[in-house]
Amino acid sequence: DDYDARSQLFGVKTFFQFIGYLFAPIVGIILQLATNNLVLMTTLRSIIFVVLGATAHAILILRVKERKVPQEAVQVPIIPSAMRTFSNGPYLQYLKLRVPITLFSLIPANLVSYFIKYSMALEDWTFTESLVLIVVLFSGLFTVPASVRLANKIGKAKALFGLLAGVSVFMLVFTFIGYHSIVRAAPWLVYIICIGVGIGTVLAFGLPDAILNDVIDYDELRTGERNEGMYTVIETNLQQFVEIAGGVIPLMVLSAAGFEPLAGCSCGCG
């Protein structure tokens, strides 16, 4: 039915989104295996991603077409249209959900490099970070089919709650492990931890987007108009602001705890 089809559609969207994320660490590993020249490595990486960006823009210009709006449709000005979305109670609840779940998914991933450099005490940390990111992304990708099936079986909200609860317990268990002693003695343990990080990361993209589609359907039922563009733009802007905080908050906490990068060295030698 339509409910199952929407869940599967957003599952496919999330799957390909993480395939794109997976490309960056794979390119990093290949370049590190091919050359030790940092300048050449950075140059090749830049060329690869410039070509990918140009290809994406070409596809957008040549292949993607906007849907024509029927002439009889009434065009609501952008400001009243934006304000009208905030009269949708379920949408306000969805936005409140978006803030903590985005932080929940971003903060562990943003701390990965610091964990590898300082808790695992690895000088050549970039290669390990690329492997760790691959584990994170594959863990997230493998979660997509299971989350879609669970959403079809018990509902999106219940599925999201259950997965978040499971990942939270998983991460809390590892929070109380002595990282400095155990992880340095068993470095493979970091990849086990990253499975939880990957599952938590994918939860911010898959099921919440499917829930947003239900909110948009509710608004169409209530108003008689389809306004997915405005709902998506407001939600995306909110998420971008939260992503900024997700990158800054960990560094502020580390600074408040007395952390000094490179052991306080100002010349960069550490």
Side-chain angles (χ1 to χ4, degrees):
D1 56 13
D2 290 342
Y3 184 87
D4 293 348
R6 286 196 300 269
S7 296
Q8 293 171 2
L9 174 63
F10 282 99
V12 171
K13 171 181 175 291
T14 304
F15 179 83
F16 280 99
Q17 184 174 5
F18 273 76
I19 288 292
Y21 290 152
L22 185 63
F23 186 77
I26 289 179
V27 169
I29 289 178
I30 293 174
L31 291 177
Q32 289 175 38
L33 293 175
T35 178
N36 291 325
N37 188 324
L38 182 59
V39 175
L40 177 61
M41 188 187 307
T42 304
T43 302
L44 292 175
R45 186 193 297 266
S46 300
I47 293 173
I48 290 171
F49 285 101
V50 166
V51 170
L52 286 175
T55 302
H57 279 85
I59 294 173
L60 177 64
I61 294 172
L62 300 176
R63 303 293 300 174
V64 178
K65 306 296 181 183
E66 292 191 22
R67 182 181 60 188
K68 293 184 179 179
V69 180
Q71 293 182 354
E72 64 273 11
V74 178
Q75 295 296 313
V76 180
I78 186 170
I79 299 300
S81 178
M83 296 303 297
R84 191 169 64 182
T85 61
F86 294 109
S87 65
N88 186 344
Y91 185 59
L92 295 180
Q93 296 299 320
Y94 171 81
L95 293 179
K96 293 177 183 178
L97 165 71
R98 254 308 185 185
V99 173
I101 199 173
T102 301
L103 290 174
F104 178 83
S105 66
L106 285 175
I107 289 179
N110 288 333
L111 290 175
V112 164
S113 61
Y114 293 93
F115 181 80
I116 295 172
K117 283 189 287 186
Y118 301 110
S119 292
M120 297 182 69
L122 295 178
E123 183 176 358
D124 185 17
W125 58 274
T126 55
F127 184 79
T128 303
E129 183 188 28
S130 297
L131 292 177
V132 163
L133 290 177
I134 288 176
V135 173
V136 168
L137 293 170
F138 269 116
S139 301
L141 287 173
F142 291 145
T143 305
V144 172
S147 64
V148 171
R149 287 195 296 268
L150 188 61
N152 291 336
K153 185 175 182 179
I154 66 175
K156 301 184 184 101
K158 291 181 179 178
L160 181 60
F161 176 84
L163 291 170
L164 285 172
V167 174
S168 298
V169 172
F170 179 87
M171 299 303 291
L172 279 173
V173 169
F174 281 99
T175 298
F176 296 101
I177 292 179
Y179 287 118
H180 292 282
S181 57
I182 296 179
V183 177
R184 289 182 184 180
W188 54 266
L189 190 61
V190 71
Y191 298 103
I192 304 298
I193 298 173
C194 287
I195 293 175
V197 175
I199 296 173
T201 301
V202 80
L203 292 179
F205 297 91
L207 291 177
D209 283 349
I211 293 173
L212 175 61
N213 190 76
D214 291 340
V215 173
I216 295 171
D217 287 346
Y218 168 75
D219 178 71
E220 183 178 16
L221 179 65
R222 186 172 64 96
T223 65
E225 297 180 9
R226 186 78 177 178
N227 297 306
E228 68 267 25
M230 184 57 64
Y231 278 93
T232 303
V233 166
I234 293 175
E235 179 260 352
T236 302
N237 287 336
L238 175 65
Q239 184 174 349
Q240 289 173 342
F241 284 122
V242 176
E243 287 176 356
I244 295 173
V248 173
I249 289 176
L251 300 180
M252 294 176 63
V253 173
L254 289 174
S255 178
F259 171 76
E260 294 184 354
L262 299 177
C265 177
S266 60
C267 69
C269 66

